[in-house]
């Protein structure tokens, strides 16, 4: 098996082709990782979440890492690591334009608000639960490509 | 879609049934996430890696988070979050027994040393590259189960 570093363009292609990433954040030197749905546009990932642990932690420390993979088999896969900064998008004021942009990108997909939009025991999304849009501004992106033949 | 918290036993079953996790670690309040192969036995995950960023970081801060998923579809999935402590296993001295245990667990699988055992541009694993076994001692495990019908 050969493993090689991917170019920025190749990494971008992998991230564009997927909708699921694994987001890692940390607080007080303790890491936390969860799956997220996202859309990518320009230099940002856009996502949606209920209020909860990851939002609380990212509000305190906005540095995040997002892992995106394209796995064909155990010997053919591509893996991209994104470093970025969490930015909460408010429906009002300075971030309103970005908020609407996030909504427009995410609503193109059925069930775009799952799994971020649900909490245990909530049968369906509801205004009872507080939810929010956020972006991750990409500061670095690196990736590896593994396959049986040297490309 | 219904989402519910899983019991410890259910989480354990999901982790036992998989071999791939996403490991998050952090240093200086910066998170880092990568895919890993693992085997589970007792209260530990066992894995293998070349020396590199994640090992350097976990040596400084051994707190880690491992995400394990069982995704059937976008509306049927299980997701487990493990909190644990990294422990490097030496082939000699105090950790020798654990080191051999890790090896015996991991060698049961073909290609068990991929992707942790390869670096870009290394055609195959080699003694030229320093590699090591490590365990993650599980301190907490929580999970969510999503499906279209309330279970």
């Amino acid at each position: 098996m050969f493993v090689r570093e991917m170019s920025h363009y190749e990494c971008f292609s992998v991230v564009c082709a997927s909708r699921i990433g694994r987001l890692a954040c940390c607080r007080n030197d303790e890491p936390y990782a969860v799956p997220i749905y996202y859309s990518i546009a320009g230099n940002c990932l856009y996502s949606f979440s209920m209020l909860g642990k990851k939002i609380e932690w990212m509000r305190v420390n906005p540095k995040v890492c997002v892992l995106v993979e394209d796995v064909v088999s155990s010997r053919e896969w591509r893996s991209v690591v994104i470093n970025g900064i969490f930015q909460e998008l408010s429906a009002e004021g300075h971030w309103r334009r970005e908020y609407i942009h996030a909504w427009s990108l995410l609503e193109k997909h059925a069930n775009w608000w799952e799994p971020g939009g649900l909490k245990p025991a909530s049968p369906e999304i509801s205004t009872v639960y507080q939810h929010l849009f956020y972006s991750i501004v990409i500061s670095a992106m690196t990736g590896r490509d593994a396959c049986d033949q040297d490309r």
Side-chain angles (χ1 to χ4, degrees), chain A residues 33-144:
Chain A
V34 282
I36 61 165
Y37 275 151
Y38 68 83
S39 281
I40 183 169
N43 200 41
C44 289
L45 303 183
Y46 293 93
S47 192
F48 169 88
S49 178
M50 303 295 280
L51 282 180
K53 182 171 173 176
K54 73 170 178 293
I55 298 295
E56 286 167 22
W57 284 33
M58 292 191 294
R59 281 175 172 171
V60 175
N61 175 16
K63 291 179 187 172
V64 301
C65 180
V66 180
L67 181 62
V68 179
E69 295 158 7
D70 171 22
V71 178
V72 177
S73 71
S74 66
R75 294 184 68 85
E76 187 179 349
W77 47 263
R78 292 182 296 169
S79 166
V80 176
V81 174
I82 294 169
N83 296 109
I85 301 294
F86 164 78
Q87 174 62 60
E88 200 167 325
L89 304 176
S90 166
E92 307 299 333
H94 182 68
W95 294 105
R96 179 168 173 74
R97 185 186 294 263
E98 282 281 281
Y99 176 93
I100 292 168
H101 186 50
W103 187 299
S104 70
L105 285 167
L106 290 162
E107 72 169 357
K108 288 175 186 167
H109 304 284
N111 306 325
W112 59 270
W113 44 269
E114 296 166 358
L118 289 175
K119 287 275 189 193
S122 69
E124 289 295 336
I125 193 168
S126 156
T127 53
V128 173
Y129 295 93
Q130 282 189 281
H131 53 275
L132 57 87
F133 288 101
Y134 64 92
S135 68
I136 292 166
V137 183
I138 298 170
S139 51
M141 189 156 57
T142 58
R144 292 182 180 175

